[in-house]
Amino acid sequence: DMKLGGLGPDYEAIKEKKQKLKLQKEYSKQINDYNMKNIIVVQRLPAKPQVSSESRQKALEYAKKIPRPKTFTTRQSEQEVKQGKVLPQAPNGTSLPQIPSLESLWSRHKKEKEVVAAFKALHIL
């Protein structure tokens, strides 16, 4: 009674597995039925107690009296706004350098223009 291996499916092993699964399902069905018949009705949790409107009003009044936390946003003082010394804010929150006045920029432009003209006269550029 020696069976040598083959390339086809093993029908005997498949039948055994099928029978085993059938027995497992049957057993689980029996256990489920037993549990459904003998289940003890679990008492549900009692409903939440109703909060009276008086206590809610008291809580709201108390909440109004609690001081709010201070925020740390820096606000520009009125003097800086009047003097024009307000530094513009970049999108990431850092302050940008103060922009020089138009006259100082114009005078700097003229000086640099003269320097460039001098270099051109000396044929350095």
Side-chain angles (χ1 to χ4, degrees):
D1 290 336
M2 182 181 243
K3 183 180 177 188
L4 299 175
L7 295 177
D10 187 9
Y11 292 112
E12 291 177 16
I14 293 173
K15 287 180 183 178
E16 290 174 7
K17 287 182 183 179
K18 189 176 179 181
Q19 183 66 23
K20 190 175 182 182
L21 283 173
K22 185 178 178 182
L23 290 173
Q24 284 178 349
K25 287 182 181 180
E26 195 174 306
Y27 178 73
S28 66
K29 187 182 265 188
Q30 289 174 358
I31 296 294
N32 191 15
D33 291 340
Y34 177 79
N35 287 338
M36 291 302 278
K37 289 178 184 175
N38 296 332
I39 193 166
I40 300 173
V41 178
V42 179
Q43 292 180 353
R44 294 186 180 195
L45 295 174
K48 292 182 180 179
Q50 295 286 333
V51 178
S52 66
S53 61
E54 292 178 19
S55 60
R56 178 169 169 73
Q57 291 299 326
K58 287 180 184 178
L60 290 174
E61 288 176 22
Y62 176 75
K64 287 179 185 177
K65 293 177 184 176
I66 294 177
R68 302 267 191 279
K70 295 180 181 178
T71 57
F72 293 104
T73 56
T74 56
R75 296 188 179 179
Q76 302 164 349
S77 65
E78 293 178 12
Q79 293 175 352
E80 290 178 349
V81 173
K82 289 179 183 177
Q83 293 176 358
K85 293 183 181 179
V86 177
L87 298 178
Q89 295 289 323
N92 61 1
T94 58
S95 61
L96 299 174
Q98 189 173 0
I99 299 173
S101 65
L102 184 60
E103 294 85 20
S104 63
L105 288 174
W106 188 251
S107 63
R108 180 178 161 195
H109 173 69
K110 285 183 180 178
K111 289 178 186 175
E112 290 175 354
K113 199 172 180 182
E114 291 173 2
V115 170
V116 169
F119 281 131
K120 281 185 180 180
L122 296 174
H123 300 290
I124 295 176
L125 291 178

